[in-house]
């Protein structure tokens, strides 16, 4: 089969198309024929060699995949060949024509969703759900700021807010991104690319502040977030690409919580619970992944450049 392989850590150009042996499913494993792979920012951090958990070289990148079951190993009970599925967390890497996964990491793909939408579920919706409900303890009726609402995690978070009775504002750096933020359920959209936009966010809450802030770029925004929090508010750090100085008194004064999140830390039970919770919303239409860009698998290099560029509008996927 063809796969995208990384033989040395480095820039996007180290992503190379190669011919590799077809994987075969062992006990409890399933093999899926790829139709779409999700491109997540973490794929670029790992590829560059700067990520805490580095894979052994050479490796095939990618966590999120959607496709059709090709074959199953012994003991697999929930899937058979021909089933439409999505997976998150693979054994062999998602950027490949065939993808090996543990059965527990695979879920049925709702008929109403395309394969590209299926590849946009795993990390984005899993992260958004965990940030809002497991870490952020968001409750119906609360006010949420999705700080970075135009990308994969942000659109998922806004849809989840809408479906759970949370009133949300979102930010994006482009006009198109802000239109999308509104279309995905935000009651208001703000531009994080202009300086001094933060007071308008506080004004939108009537001066009270947000109960929960889902933060995609904490190294830029965390100090402002603390000013934007309501008493007993929670900031959940989803993304950060550097360091920042904050005033701890801004946390103390509000009995606020600053929480971190790494989806890599979730247990098998937490994974199953999150995807059980997402399943009904994905099937009935409350949750619909937004695919902003599809590229052929062979254009993984371009996709890695795109995913770090400003101007997000949903998810970037590689199709096969
Ligand atoms: P994405 O699709 O590339 O979207 C990036 C988002 O960040 C866009 O909405 C972008 O808005 C926004 N952004 C850019 N500048 C910003 C600013 N100054 N303030 C607020 N937001 C800003 O990425 P993603 O998949 O949604 O992931 C978002 C972040 O979370 C990434 O850093 C990713 O690595 C991280 N993440 C972490 C976990 C975890 O387990 N902790 C899991 C998934 C993702 P514009 O493009 O409109 O400017």
């Amino acid at each position: 089969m063809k796969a995208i392989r990384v033989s040395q850590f480095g820039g996007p150009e180290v992503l190379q198309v190669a011919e590799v042996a077809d994987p075969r499913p062992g006990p409890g494993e399933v093999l899926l024929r790829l139709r779409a792979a999700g491109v997540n920012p973490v794929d670029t951090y790992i590829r560059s060699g700067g990520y805490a958990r580095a894979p052994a070289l050479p490796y095939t990148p990618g966590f999120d995949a959607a496709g059709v079951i090709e074959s199953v190993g012994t003991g697999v009970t929930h899937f058979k060949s021909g089933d439409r599925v999505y997976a998150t967390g693979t054994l062999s890497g998602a950027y490949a024509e065939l993808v090996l996964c543990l059965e527990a990491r695979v879920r049925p793909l709702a008929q109403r969703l395309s394969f590209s939408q299926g590849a946009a579920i795993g990390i984005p919706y899993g992260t958004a759900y965990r940030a809002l409900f497991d870490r952020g303890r968001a409750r119906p009726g609360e006010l949420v700021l999705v700080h970075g609402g135009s990308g994969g995690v942000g659109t998922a978070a806004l849809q989840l807010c809408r479906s759970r009775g949370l009133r949300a504002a979102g930010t994006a750096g482009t006009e198109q991104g802000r239109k999308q933020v509104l279309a995905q359920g935000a009651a208001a959209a703000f531009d994080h690319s202009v300086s001094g936009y933060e007071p308008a966010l506080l004004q939108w809450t009537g001066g009270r502040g947000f109960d929960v802030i889902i933060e995609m770029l904490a190294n830029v925004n965390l100090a402002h977030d603390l000013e934007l929090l309501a008493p007993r508010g929670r900031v959940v750090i989803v993304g950060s690409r550097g360091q920042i100085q904050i005033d701890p008194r801004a946390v103390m004064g509000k009995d606020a919580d600053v929480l971190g999140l790494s989806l890599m830390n979730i247990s098998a039970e937490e994974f199953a619970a999150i995807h059980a919770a997402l399943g009904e919303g994905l099937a009935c239409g409350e949750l619909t992944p937004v695919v902003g860009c599809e590229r052929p698998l062979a254009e993984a290099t371009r996709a890695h450049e795109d995913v770090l560029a400003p101007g997000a509008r949903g998810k970037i996927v590689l199709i096969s």
Side-chain angles (χ1 to χ4, degrees):
M1 67 161 180
K2 286 199 169 29
I4 302 297
R5 298 288 278 174
V6 173
S7 303
Q8 56 176 20
F9 297 116
E13 69 285 351
V14 303
L15 298 163
Q16 298 283 330
V17 181
E19 194 67 37
V20 297
D22 289 3
R24 290 160 62 111
E29 296 171 2
V30 303
L31 187 66
L32 69 97
R33 184 157 291 276
L34 187 84
R35 297 292 299 276
V39 176
N40 289 291
V42 69
D43 302 345
T44 73
Y45 314 152
I46 294 171
R47 185 216 67 227
S48 70
Y51 197 67
R53 301 176 199 200
L57 295 169
Y59 76 98
T60 299
F63 292 89
D64 290 341
V68 175
I69 298 282
E70 180 88 354
S71 58
V72 302
T74 55
V76 169
T77 52
H78 292 97
F79 300 102
K80 60 180 183 327
S81 130
D83 288 350
R84 298 172 87 248
V85 295
Y86 74 90
T88 179
T90 80
L91 297 168
S92 59
Y95 296 9
E97 288 175 333
L98 292 167
V99 181
L100 192 64
C101 306
L102 289 174
E103 181 185 20
R105 286 284 174 159
V106 176
R107 310 288 296 185
L109 179 62
Q111 279 302 329
R112 58 178 290 277
L113 298 179
S114 68
F115 289 111
S116 290
Q117 288 173 316
I121 297 170
I123 288 186
Y125 281 77
T127 304
Y129 186 95
R130 186 156 174 77
L132 278 167
F133 305 118
D134 293 347
R135 303 295 282 149
R137 309 186 304 280
R139 294 181 295 272
E142 287 194 317
L143 272 185
V144 177
L145 172 61
V146 181
H147 215 163
S150 49
V153 178
T155 54
L158 289 168
Q159 291 176 10
L160 283 164
C161 286
R162 180 172 56 189
S163 73
R164 294 293 193 94
L166 294 150
R167 190 167 154 78
T171 72
T174 64
E175 183 65 38
Q176 195 181 2
R178 288 187 291 283
K179 278 191 186 144
Q180 183 175 285
V181 160
L182 294 172
Q184 299 316 312
F190 296 84
D191 184 353
H192 56 227
S193 72
V194 297
S195 65
Y197 68 100
E198 295 87 359
L201 280 165
L202 194 58
Q203 206 176 1
W204 184 79
T205 70
R208 177 180 167 276
F210 292 93
D211 299 294
V212 179
I213 298 178
I214 306 299
E215 181 52 68
M216 306 303 168
L217 202 56
N219 56 301
V220 172
N221 296 322
L222 186 57
H224 283 302
D225 289 343
L226 300 177
E227 305 298 326
L228 294 173
L229 273 186
R232 299 175 191 272
R234 291 84 72 196
V235 182
V236 185
I237 300 173
V238 170
S240 187
R241 293 178 180 165
Q243 299 189 347
I244 185 169
Q245 188 172 330
I246 61 160
D247 179 357
R249 282 186 177 274
V251 185
M252 292 159 60
K254 292 178 177 172
D255 276 18
D257 288 342
V258 177
L259 301 140
L261 175 162
S262 173
L263 199 63
M264 306 277 177
N265 293 335
I266 63 170
S267 65
E269 291 72 25
E270 288 167 330
F271 175 88
I274 288 172
H275 286 270
L278 294 173
E280 196 51 39
L282 290 163
C284 78
E286 279 180 357
L287 306 176
T288 301
V290 176
V291 176
C293 173
E294 291 175 328
R295 290 192 180 283
L297 190 57
E299 291 183 16
T301 296
R302 248 329 263 292
H304 272 217
E305 289 163 359
D306 292 348
V307 77
L308 293 185
R313 47 195 176 90
K315 192 75 208 159
I316 297 172
V317 299
L318 296 168
I319 51 177
S320 172

